[in-house]
Amino acid sequence: MSKGNRGRSGVPARGTAFAETMLGTVRLDGEDRTRRVRLDLAVRADRLPRPLGTTEARATGRIRVAGWADDPGAEGELDISPVARRRIHYRLAFSAGGRRLTLDGWKSVTALRPVASMTVLPYTLLEDGRPIGTGTLRFPLGTGLLPFLASFRFPRPEDPGAFLAPRWRGEPGRTEVWYTTLTDPDSGSGLWLHHELTAPADGSRPYAHGWAAVFPKDGPVRHARFGPAEWTPGTSGFHAAGVTAAPGRLTGTAEDGALRWDLTERPTDEPLFTFPRWSWRRPLLPAAQMLPAARAAYDGTFTHDGTTLGLTAAPGASARIYGHGNARRWAWLHADLGDGDVLEIVAAVSTRPGLRRLEPLVFLRLRRSGRTWPRRPERPAVGWAGAGRFRAGLALPTWTVTGRSGPRRIRVEVTQPPDRTLALDYTDPDGRHATCRNSERADAHVLLERWWFGGWRTEAEWTLDGTAHAEVGTR
């Protein structure tokens, strides 16, 4: 790896990410017809492309074979070497009817046929190393070139664990939060772990506290608090009152052991900045929120009143908040939409004079097929010169967010049924109180539309039944 792509610590300074779609056919052994195939990939490499060398990349995505397979969990590798080896090699594993298969093929790059050789992918389907079919995929230049070029990103590699380090540096009047929400896919229960550091505005000693809550599919919501306890500064997350929220691990007890948890966390996505990235690095706003990883998987146990949930690859995420306290009014949503897509929303009215009379400012981030929309996190909150801001209607049991950015518009409707909602009291650093009504088993409907030849057409639509994580806060 060239020194020009490394930072001072030897870690690559930039990576490469892009999305690619290919269409084609396959003929399976024993069949006398071809089947249509569509392959949608998100590709990531830990370095910048090497024009004269080989770039190794990871690929995830969805493969669809008409009448035979539809696997949104396809994954594998690409070896991108158009000059050195004169080929781009694809090797992707996917499932079809309970069978584990591999798509293996490469584009043979030649100067005599540059366009065709870079856009045509002959391949073989393998099962246990044995060929079971052959096919060809083609990159659609007419419809795919502009989206392909626009998808290229060169992100800096980021360690999700680094975002768990405490931000507080001794200033009075600050709140810092580490929280985790997830859904147990087996029982349907939702879990909420909240860890908080409060530094009172009057300069008195900071304290750590929090709570754990479980939202069973059948039965009442159960929660218990821990702390307040003395805050012990550290470098790797939250550690107080026998409770830990550290990189890769969440452990603790509440109410004398009535609630206990021991979970491991595996990030499965890149960080997601709900607010502008600069607002997390430089705390100029009243508060900022971000996710060290937009999605994560959880394994371990959560016990409440003698009932133990065994979690395996439970989907969810951890998030961070740092600021001066809670908003005047707010709403929050984390929605795992499936197939690697995720939606995060924060809509809030500030307590600061002049800002508290405004309508809620909306920060909405939709990560879909490896890309985040809107591209700039400020866009939903401020629009263009104040016009075109996203709108939020904050009410219960149902609240909404709507907005448009570029050729796309979105409508989000979130319902928090009263029997699945928990009301908790928050105390700000200045001693004032707010009430949060949280549901880790909320319902949500998300409609994404695109303007196309004079009309709005549905681009994607998701319905979540009891798997959305949401809350509304008021004073």
Side-chain angles (χ1 to χ4, degrees), residues 43 69 113 156 201 267 277 339 353 385 390 415 463 473:
V43 181
R113 301 172 62 242
R156 296 184 184 275
R277 184 185 292 258
D339 297 343
F390 282 36
T415 300
T463 299

Side-chain angles (χ1 to χ4, degrees), residues 237-259:
F238 180 98
H239 303 272
V243 176
T244 297
R249 193 75 182 274
L250 298 154
T251 62
T253 65
E255 201 176 277
D256 297 324
L259 273 65

